[in-house]
Amino acid sequence: MKKLFVSIFTISLLFSCNKSTKSNEDKALDGKFDKYKDGFVTSLWKINPGWASGVGYHKYDSILSVPDANEEKIQLEFVNAQLDSLKQYNVDNLSDNNKTDFYMIKNQLEATVFSIKEMKSSEWNPSEYNVCGSFAEILNGKYDSLEVRLRAFNAKMNNVPAYYEAAKKNIKNPTVEHTELAIAQNLGGSSVFDTDLATALKQSKLTEAEKKEMLEKAKTAKKAITDYADWLKNLPNKTPRSFRLGAALYAKKFNFDIQSSYTADEIFKVANDHKKDLHEKMFVLADKLWTKYKGNEAKPTNKLELIKQVIDKISLQHTTPEKFQSEIEKQIPELTAYVKAKDLLYIDPSKPLVVRKEPAYMAGVAGASISAPGPYDKNANTYYNVGSLSGWTAENAESYLREYNDYILQILNIHEAVPGHYTQLVYSNQSPSIIKSILGNGAMVEGWAVYAEKMMLESGYKNSDEMWLMYYKWNLRATCNTILDISVHTKNMSKEAAIDLLTKEAFQQQAEADGKWKRVTLSQVQLCSYFTGYTEIYNLREELKKKEGDQFNLKKFHEKFLSFGSAPVKYIKELMLSKE
Ligand code: ZN
Ligand code: ZN
């Protein structure tokens, strides 16, 4: 606790000089910083053409960077030049929007150095090398005519062989897990160079000569990919790196990715305490609900077992595969009306959310997700993609629907849509910052959605013992994501212990737990973003409540909090507290 206090105190120094009225000098400084940001983004896209295409900036679609030593030099020179430029600005004199942008740019630059010099995943993660997705995006994108896109595709193919040659040179002691992933993903994605391209060429108005040239190059590209996969399969990798990141690197990556006022060690402890607290609350509810759902059956002596049996019974209340999408569609306006009636926050009605069946190119991953328009395509729709259950076996569909039962489905909609991700997005578009849309903080974004769930239930949404019990189960998922990630990467947690945690203590189905194990062996830190962001937002609210007493207004708090855009919570907190 003491350590935590120290880190919060350090941050408060960052914003110590806060003025209520801005001098002309400060306004000029903000103007200068705005110009700097424009230049930063322009150069960023120039040296990261793949990233640029991904956010909808298509000027460099035809360029494929080769990940060799020269490329690394270009990245480091860019970082040093930008860090130098930042030194010209006294962050205290910048506007709130520019303060947070300043820290986010600085963090991004320092994270790049960390990634190249310490993390070095380019040596041990072969799945970082994969060109297929970016070529597929050119074919699927609707941003320009097919002919223009195909010509970019054509030019971009030139570097594919050199790209994979550089990859082979970089790789030193890859992990077994990332090697397998690289083989599967590269081979799986390579169809873009045969069937997908051939179909697109047929529909296009390119000349026969151009088409022929492209098909030839595509053969070479495809061969480079299959060669890479073969090379990985035959690599004599006697001492593969462990997929576990290790405590030292993990602590640093946590700081760069989450940008929290907590360290990884601190949030680990908070998450464990929270899990205990949730179990106690769940036991009280499950015990109370026992007779309603289990009649005269004898209660298990193990508390966790008792909770599990009640949850299993409540989970039988669920919709059908056919009605899954329409059920979600029906709930969105209900949630919006509820938020309005309870005065929880204002929701701009001019940018409605469109619920749609998951488009084919996203298919395969069941569930729900939000597709937000990128920073260069602001007027596009925001979609709520719902995975279809058609074609599933009855058994798989049943298991999935029990997971997303009548209670959890509502919490999912709160998380993804109202007042979760979709609502946060509407707010962040109102305080436009290109920096926050390209470097947006994942812990703030996920933390808000997880906070929204709790806040809705606290306000009385569908209040019942069942609803709360199922909410706690859902919240355990975020909580255990954090415990799992830190335990696996820094504390050598075994697979068996991990599956035990997820199935016995977080009440997950075996399939879900298996999937999570796979995810934790392939990613690091990201699984912590949900719980860490949620904890910080919730604590900030409680702190302000205490400070403001009768003056505290929940709606105002939410609107103010969201007005800062997708910035790290620790900076939003500092700005909100300094306004007191
Ligand atoms: Zn059923
Ligand atoms: Zn989310």
Side-chain angles (χ1 to χ4, degrees):
M1 211 53 219
K2 190 151 185 253
K3 208 171 163 198
L4 186 62
F5 176 73
V6 173
S7 59
I8 290 166
F9 181 70
T10 321
I11 296 154
S12 68
L13 293 176
L14 299 174
F15 297 114
S16 57
C17 173
N18 220 293
K19 297 174 191 136
S20 47
T21 48
K22 296 216 99 205
S23 68
N24 283 337
E25 214 176 291
D26 289 351
K27 274 186 204 144
L29 189 71
D30 276 315
K32 193 178 157 203
F33 191 69
D34 285 339
K35 280 210 194 77
Y36 162 75
K37 287 194 290 187
D38 287 344
F40 167 80
V41 173
T42 308
S43 322
L44 186 72
W45 296 152
K46 207 167 177 177
I47 65 161
N48 296 289
W51 187 3
S53 306
V55 298
Y57 186 89
H58 295 292
K59 193 174 164 188
Y60 302 115
D61 277 8
S62 61
I63 298 168
L64 177 67
S65 300
V66 175
D68 57 13
N70 186 48
E71 165 67 18
E72 199 175 285
K73 200 173 141 245
I74 291 171
Q75 293 287 344
L76 288 174
E77 276 169 7
F78 169 77
V79 166
N80 290 330
Q82 299 297 328
L83 283 173
D84 244 18
S85 303
L86 285 182
K87 284 187 193 135
Q88 299 170 34
Y89 298 92
N90 182 351
V91 69
D92 289 338
N93 299 334
L94 292 171
S95 69
D96 288 354
N97 189 30
N98 277 337
K99 272 188 181 111
T100 43
D101 280 357
F102 178 98
Y103 284 119
M104 290 168 83
I105 293 172
K106 192 157 179 275
N107 183 73
Q108 170 65 28
L109 296 169
E110 287 166 351
T112 305
V113 178
F114 166 72
S115 165
I116 293 174
K117 296 210 163 149
E118 295 183 63
M119 185 76 177
K120 295 187 177 186
S121 54
S122 59
E123 293 180 1
W124 52 261
N125 180 0
S127 72
E128 275 184 13
Y129 307 103
N130 188 341
V131 300
C132 304
S134 65
F135 280 95
E137 273 172 38
I138 296 178
L139 284 193
N140 292 326
K142 297 281 175 276
Y143 52 88
D144 213 330
S145 74
L146 180 59
E147 288 70 29
V148 168
R149 286 183 283 121
L150 281 172
R151 286 190 181 115
F153 192 110
N154 188 2
K156 194 179 165 106
M157 280 195 289
N158 292 342
N159 273 352
V160 172
Y163 175 98
Y164 282 104
E165 282 315 307
K168 291 178 197 167
K169 265 194 198 144
N170 291 344
I171 291 167
K172 299 224 159 63
N173 56 335
T175 79
V176 173
E177 291 75 10
H178 293 98
T179 303
E180 282 168 4
L181 183 71
I183 293 167
Q185 286 186 338
N186 271 284
L187 291 179
S190 68
S191 69
V192 69
F193 291 105
D194 35 53
T195 44
D196 303 356
L197 176 64
T199 311
L201 281 175
K202 256 184 219 140
Q203 292 163 353
S204 79
K205 295 190 197 81
L206 294 189
T207 65
E208 287 310 311
E210 278 179 298
K211 289 183 186 175
K212 198 169 159 257
E213 180 198 321
M214 282 189 73
L215 288 172
E216 283 300 315
K217 273 200 215 168
K219 256 189 220 155
T220 312
K222 172 120 186 173
K223 186 170 181 307
I225 295 170
T226 41
D227 282 354
Y228 178 60
D230 286 341
W231 181 82
L232 287 172
K233 282 179 200 161
N234 297 316
L235 193 69
N237 190 12
K238 287 201 184 92
T239 52
R241 189 195 191 286
S242 163
F243 66 83
R244 300 175 199 275
L245 199 56
L249 280 180
Y250 190 94
K252 287 189 184 178
K253 189 174 199 297
F254 183 92
N255 291 342
F256 282 121
D257 290 1
I258 307 281
Q259 300 181 67
S260 164
S261 50
Y262 289 101
T263 64
D265 284 344
E266 285 162 356
I267 203 69
F268 182 71
K269 191 180 176 306
V270 176
N272 271 301
D273 291 346
H274 188 64
K275 181 185 78 178
K276 227 171 121 194
D277 186 42
L278 287 175
H279 282 162
E280 274 162 26
K281 290 188 166 109
M282 290 173 88
F283 175 71
V284 172
L285 290 171
D287 192 54
K288 206 169 136 195
L289 290 166
W290 181 266
T291 323
K292 181 171 171 187
Y293 288 92
K294 305 289 281 184
N296 291 327
E297 260 182 66
K299 286 180 185 171
T301 46
N302 182 312
K303 285 185 178 184
L304 294 178
E305 183 54 33
L306 187 150
I307 297 169
K308 185 188 178 307
Q309 289 192 25
V310 175
I311 285 177
D312 283 350
K313 206 78 195 210
I314 297 175
S315 303
L316 298 178
Q317 302 168 42
H318 59 73
T319 185
T320 63
E322 296 73 33
K323 281 199 208 140
F324 191 64
Q325 186 183 332
S326 61
E327 191 55 42
I328 289 176
E329 234 158 333
K330 203 179 85 197
Q331 281 176 24
I332 309 300
E334 285 174 13
L335 286 166
T336 308
Y338 178 88
V339 168
K340 207 173 162 188
K342 287 274 178 170
D343 222 16
L344 297 174
L345 77 167
Y346 172 74
I347 300 175
D348 180 0
S350 68
K351 283 243 167 225
L353 179 66
V354 184
V355 182
R356 68 173 175 188
K357 196 179 141 223
E358 196 172 62
Y361 67 88
M362 298 175 83
V365 204
S369 65
I370 293 283
S371 284
Y376 296 100
D377 195 15
K378 278 216 172 109
N379 294 318
N381 283 329
T382 302
Y383 291 104
Y384 190 167
N385 312 303
V386 181
S388 165
L389 299 183
S390 70
W392 285 39
T393 66
E395 195 188 349
N396 286 346
E398 174 66 20
S399 155
Y400 184 77
L401 290 170
R402 281 185 194 178
E403 187 67 41
Y404 291 95
N405 56 64
D406 291 348
Y407 297 95
I408 299 279
L409 193 58
Q410 302 187 63
I411 301 170
L412 177 73
N413 288 328
I414 292 172
H415 179 105
E416 297 292 341
V418 179
H421 288 319
Y422 157 70
T423 305
Q424 191 261 323
L425 204 87
V426 173
Y427 272 85
S428 75
N429 284 339
Q430 279 161 355
S431 61
S433 152
I434 181 91
I435 299 302
K436 288 182 189 82
S437 48
I438 58 179
L439 305 178
N441 180 256
M444 183 275 173
V445 172
E446 287 304 342
W448 170 262
V450 177
Y451 164 79
E453 300 157 4
K454 175 89 179 267
M455 181 270 286
M456 286 289 275
L457 262 81
E458 284 176 332
S459 76
Y461 181 77
K462 302 277 170 92
N463 191 23
S464 72
D465 290 338
E466 284 89 340
M467 192 70 185
W468 274 103
L469 180 63
M470 296 311 262
Y471 163 73
Y472 288 140
K473 184 204 157 182
W474 179 261
N475 190 252
L476 260 179
R477 174 145 96 176
T479 310
C480 288
N481 279 348
T482 294
I483 298 173
L484 176 76
D485 202 62
I486 298 175
S487 303
V488 167
H489 285 291
T490 76
K491 299 176 199 302
N492 226 10
M493 179 186 245
S494 69
K495 179 176 179 182
E496 198 193 358
I499 300 289
D500 261 13
L501 169 75
L502 298 174
T503 56
K504 298 206 175 109
E505 295 198 70
F507 312 104
Q508 292 175 10
Q509 299 295 318
Q510 187 67 36
E512 196 190 343
D514 289 341
K516 194 55 67 65
W517 170 256
K518 187 153 190 210
R519 183 166 159 193
V520 78
T521 63
L522 295 171
S523 75
Q524 317 88 22
V525 175
Q526 197 275 337
L527 280 168
C528 295
S529 56
Y530 310 82
F531 181 75
T532 312
Y534 154 77
T535 303
E536 291 193 282
I537 297 169
Y538 197 84
N539 290 350
L540 168 60
R541 188 192 78 183
E542 295 306 293
E543 195 176 331
L544 279 168
K545 247 187 194 170
K546 220 191 245 168
K547 266 188 143 178
E548 296 178 1
D550 292 349
Q551 299 295 305
F552 180 82
N553 178 299
L554 190 62
K555 182 169 189 261
K556 266 198 201 140
F557 167 74
H558 292 148
E559 291 170 356
K560 185 81 200 159
F561 179 82
L562 292 176
S563 75
F564 294 100
S566 311
V569 181
K570 70 174 171 182
Y571 299 135
I572 299 178
K573 173 180 176 165
E574 195 47 46
L575 290 168
M576 284 183 81
L577 290 177
S578 70
K579 294 278 176 321
E580 281 304 285

